[in-house]
Amino acid sequence: MKAAVVVFPGLNRDRDMIAALTKIGGEAPAVVWHKDAEIPKVDLIVIPGGFSYGDYLRVGAIAARSPVMDTIRDRAAHGVKVMGVCNGFQILSEAGLVPGVLMRNASLKFVCREVKLQIENASTPFTRGYKQGQIIRCPVAHHDGNYFADAETLARVEGQGQVAFRYADGTNPNGSINDIAGVFNEKKNVLGLMPHPENLIEAAHGGSDGRQLFSGLLNAA
Amino acid sequence: MKARVTVTLKSGVLDPQGQAIQGSLKSLGFDGVGAVRQGKVFDLELGDADRSQAEANVRTMCEKLLANTVIENYTIEITP
């Protein structure tokens, strides 16, 4: 599977994401600067974490309106898988590619810690490396991860299996509604999640619970 | 022509920053303050000569960028 990582000014988790995709997929992803005219033909587009455009206006808002997002929206509509992690999730939600919005953490504090995640829907390309209901460890590091959607949207997201991950065992770090840590679009080919699975893939990280997300996604061992 | 856009959180959306400000006001002795909701103000200088066209443009700007209508409302004031 071929992957591309899209980089906006102000992102800082791109190298971790490139390392994870390379180590687990066995092939380095294409790295696309947001001003590049084209995204190569790939099966997976990843927007990593960071602070695109300094989080000006609203987190992810400026990046979500950049021209490269039109390309990503078009690819997603044609079935290409798209994943946004942390700021990438914020960008996807601002672009309307996944439902809901990420607000300032309820504690108003930046949180950098490990949480537990329950796999809520294991029958998608992103989560097929896990068992339904499995609980994994995963790091988070964000100031604006407080997921919110209006009642109608939330009912739809819950009812259509669009919740990918939920903070488990009372580890919700940010006040997210229904403990939601990651959501899919309706077709389940776009995933946004606040936690950083790319930062828990090998012994040197202190664990490898994030690995199966990539191995399942990339069809790699 | 100028426009002032005020963006506020919709009712029912939790505003922890507003709550923190309310707590701070209380600690300064302003006990009478009820809920505080934080918002944003944008002052725009516009090239439009026509008032209704200007308002329509700014409305589109709000829908496309200045507000996230999932959680925010906006109001527009146009002045010469």
Side-chain angles (χ1 to χ4, degrees):
Chain A
M1 169 177 279
K2 293 207 176 299
V5 172
V6 179
V7 183
F8 293 93
L11 294 187
N12 61 2
R13 297 298 189 110
D14 41 319
R15 283 183 293 180
D16 294 0
M17 185 59 75
I18 292 164
L21 290 166
T22 307
K23 284 182 178 183
I24 302 170
E27 189 180 349
V31 179
V32 179
W33 179 241
H34 72 114
K35 282 193 168 165
D36 291 352
E38 257 306 304
I39 298 178
K41 197 172 171 339
V42 292
D43 312 293
L44 168 70
I45 297 171
V46 181
I47 308 176
F51 304 88
S52 59
Y53 297 94
D55 285 346
Y56 292 171
L57 185 61
R58 295 178 306 274
V59 288
I62 307 289
R65 273 79 182 173
S66 67
V68 74
M69 288 307 296
D70 292 333
T71 309
I72 294 175
R73 188 176 287 109
D74 182 63
R75 296 283 178 90
H78 287 87
V80 169
K81 289 182 266 299
V82 177
M83 177 168 76
V85 171
C86 199
N87 195 212
F89 183 13
Q90 295 161 344
I91 293 168
L92 290 178
S93 72
E94 275 283 344
L97 282 163
V98 290
V101 59
L102 283 313
M103 298 176 52
R104 180 55 46 98
N105 292 346
S107 65
L108 298 178
K109 292 190 172 71
F110 189 97
V111 294
C112 181
R113 66 172 78 134
E114 186 174 295
V115 298
K116 288 187 178 163
L117 298 178
Q118 178 150 357
I119 312 301
E120 290 290 318
N121 182 351
S123 60
T124 77
F126 300 96
T127 49
R128 62 187 173 198
Y130 299 105
K131 293 190 194 72
Q132 182 76 22
Q134 185 179 346
I135 292 178
I136 63 167
R137 299 163 53 204
C138 202
V140 295
H142 58 249
H143 206 166
D144 299 81
N146 184 355
Y147 184 79
F148 180 84
D150 60 61
E152 192 187 321
T153 307
L154 193 62
R156 204 168 60 239
V157 165
E158 291 280 0
Q160 297 183 156
Q162 286 177 251
V163 178
F165 307 102
R166 229 185 276 279
Y167 300 111
D169 299 341
T171 60
N172 183 341
N174 51 36
S176 285
I177 198 161
N178 291 14
D179 296 325
I180 289 171
V183 293
F184 301 111
N185 65 340
E186 275 183 44
K187 283 165 61 187
K188 319 279 192 313
N189 69 317
V190 181
L191 166 67
L193 72 162
M194 286 313 297
H196 288 280
E198 76 277 16
N199 290 137
L200 200 68
I201 61 160
E202 58 195 5
H205 290 158
S208 60
D209 283 10
R211 196 174 178 92
Q212 289 95 310
L213 184 144
F214 295 95
S215 58
L217 193 51
L218 301 167
N219 292 315
Chain B
M1 200 158 288
K2 291 179 178 171
R4 170 163 284 190
V5 173
T6 307
V7 175
T8 52
L9 279 177
K10 287 182 175 174
S11 60
V13 176
L14 182 70
D15 181 9
Q17 294 178 99
Q19 289 175 350
I21 294 163
Q22 182 193 5
S24 188
L25 287 171
K26 199 171 176 186
S27 74
L28 289 170
F30 297 103
D31 293 323
V33 179
V36 176
R37 309 281 285 170
Q38 182 176 307
K40 295 188 187 96
V41 172
F42 303 90
D43 285 325
L44 312 178
E45 289 182 14
L46 305 171
D48 306 83
D50 179 64
R51 189 189 174 90
S52 61
Q53 186 59 49
E55 186 162 351
N57 283 344
V58 174
R59 189 165 300 284
T60 309
M61 292 177 208
C62 289
E63 292 288 334
K64 286 195 161 181
L65 179 64
L66 298 179
N68 182 334
T69 54
V70 175
I71 50 167
E72 292 170 331
N73 291 319
Y74 59 86
T75 58
I76 299 167
E77 285 171 71
I78 304 283
T79 51

